[in-house]
Amino acid sequence: MKILVVDDSRIMRSIVKNTMKTMYNIEDGFIEASNGEEAYKALESMQVDLMLLDWNMPILNGIDLVRKLRAMDKYKALPIIMVTSEAAKYNVIEAVKAGVNDYLVKPVTEKNLYEKVKKYLE
Amino acid sequence: MDIKYINPFINSTTNVFEDFFKVSPVVQKPYIVRSNEDHEWDVSAIIGIAGETRGAVVISFTEDLATLLTSKLVGRQITTIDDDVVDTIGEIVNIIAGNAKKGLEEYRLMISLPSIIKGKNHQIAWPVKNLPIVGIPFKTDFGPFTLSVGLENIITEG
């Protein structure tokens, strides 16, 4: 199982990883990226099973990365959960239209992260 | 000022402190901030807002509170404003502004990446001249902090 955690905040990446480790007893298998471009490079170099993706990031933001990936056949089925502070309904609609599988509004808690990721990990 | 547009920021601030730090901040009476007035804060995180308005959201801390909150989050003692403190308070203001959009859905808004300003009596350069800015003071068991919000034609002095 390889999970790509993409967020420009190192502390947020740690919170997401530690929460996932506690829930699923996953020690290894996390890859981190601090923007969309780094995430794209990571995807090109290895097989990833699930991506947890922030929206607002420098260089290449999350929504533009989703659009780029969904335009490519090999990434059409990659499970992507957007994990973002953007809580407006129009943001959720925009992300779903771009091709995210699920949407989680920060702050991340163990309960709401568990609810979102369980169907992709079981 | 119209409390309808202040409440989303109060609610999102309360939520992020409760979720991140297990602390319930108590909101004090909001007031109009005069730009460039002296203050007691050592560090601020600012996020710009664009779209159907222009403005910014700023959260300001003393060094003691910013380092203490970051210590709670990362699980080690921090005593000066380092990269982890910058990361933490940037993420706090990002979540406050992003979550507050839910209560302001009649306006389509975009938020910028956060910036951090530090130093005794540092000054914020607000993106719109003569913008009415609302200061929302909060108290916590660990010390006070303040949230400042300015949104052109949405938050007014009337």
Side-chain angles (χ1 to χ4, degrees):
Chain A
M1 177 65 70
K2 285 256 186 281
I3 300 166
L4 178 56
V5 182
V6 190
D7 198 305
D8 56 336
S9 163
R10 190 182 62 76
I11 287 174
M12 277 310 301
R13 296 198 303 271
S14 291
I15 289 172
V16 170
K17 276 193 315 178
N18 292 336
T19 307
M20 297 275 289
K21 282 177 186 173
T22 306
M23 288 187 304
Y24 289 101
N25 202 23
I26 304 170
E27 274 304 318
D28 302 316
F30 290 99
I31 311 123
E32 295 183 40
S34 63
N35 59 63
E37 193 169 289
E38 278 185 18
Y40 183 74
K41 285 178 183 165
L43 288 166
E44 290 282 273
S45 66
M46 68 188 79
Q47 177 73 34
V48 167
D49 301 292
L50 173 65
M51 178 161 65
L52 302 174
L53 177 66
D54 188 19
W55 185 314
N56 294 309
M57 295 181 292
I59 304 173
L60 178 63
N61 69 34
I63 197 80
D64 288 340
L65 175 63
V66 174
R67 292 190 182 109
K68 179 175 177 172
L69 294 173
R70 293 310 193 213
M72 302 167 73
D73 283 343
K74 66 178 175 176
Y75 296 122
K76 280 199 188 313
L78 171 69
I80 303 173
I81 302 176
M82 188 144 267
V83 183
T84 174
S85 69
E86 298 278 8
K89 276 183 198 154
Y90 55 79
N91 290 128
V92 181
I93 292 166
E94 186 179 353
V96 169
K97 280 184 178 170
V100 303
N101 298 79
D102 241 314
Y103 197 95
L104 176 58
V105 176
K106 293 177 184 174
V108 172
T109 65
E110 199 167 309
K111 183 173 181 293
N112 63 22
L113 187 59
Y114 177 78
E115 289 297 319
K116 292 294 180 187
V117 302
K118 63 181 178 184
K119 64 184 166 191
Y120 303 104
L121 298 183
E122 287 169 354
Chain B
M1 72 187 85
D2 191 340
I3 197 75
K4 175 181 167 190
Y5 299 114
I6 303 297
N7 278 338
F9 293 97
I10 294 173
N11 294 339
S12 60
T13 302
T14 304
N15 288 342
V16 73
F17 273 74
E18 287 176 348
D19 281 342
F20 266 2
F21 308 114
K22 313 302 175 205
V23 166
S24 295
V26 180
V27 66
Q28 311 293 297
K29 188 175 169 51
Y31 61 98
I32 297 294
V33 179
R34 291 185 304 280
S35 59
N36 298 327
E37 67 184 30
D38 289 347
H39 59 76
E40 61 186 304
W41 312 114
D42 299 311
V43 62
S44 293
I46 179 167
I47 207 155
I49 294 188
E52 292 178 2
T53 182
R54 290 183 300 165
V57 179
V58 179
I59 191 163
S60 301
F61 297 99
T62 60
E63 182 170 9
D64 285 351
L65 185 58
T67 54
L68 188 145
L69 292 172
T70 306
S71 300
K72 286 169 78 76
L73 204 59
V74 300
R76 67 180 174 83
Q77 192 176 7
I78 296 170
T79 54
T80 57
I81 297 170
D82 64 5
D83 288 349
D84 281 345
V85 176
V86 167
D87 191 340
T88 298
I89 66 172
E91 195 59 22
I92 290 171
V93 78
N94 173 47
I95 295 175
I96 290 170
N99 286 190
K101 285 171 63 177
K102 192 174 183 179
L104 299 163
E105 294 208 46
E106 62 205 87
Y107 303 97
R108 196 174 179 96
L109 307 175
M110 293 164 288
I111 60 175
S112 74
L113 296 171
S115 301
I116 310 299
I117 307 159
K118 61 182 181 178
K120 285 283 175 203
N121 206 25
H122 59 271
Q123 298 296 315
I124 308 293
W126 289 80
V128 183
K129 202 175 177 186
N130 299 325
L131 184 69
I133 302 156
V134 178
I136 309 169
F138 288 87
K139 277 187 180 172
T140 75
D141 291 344
F142 307 110
F145 67 91
T146 193
L147 189 76
S148 305
V149 183
L151 296 175
E152 190 177 33
N153 300 326
I154 294 180
I155 293 178
T156 58
E157 286 192 54

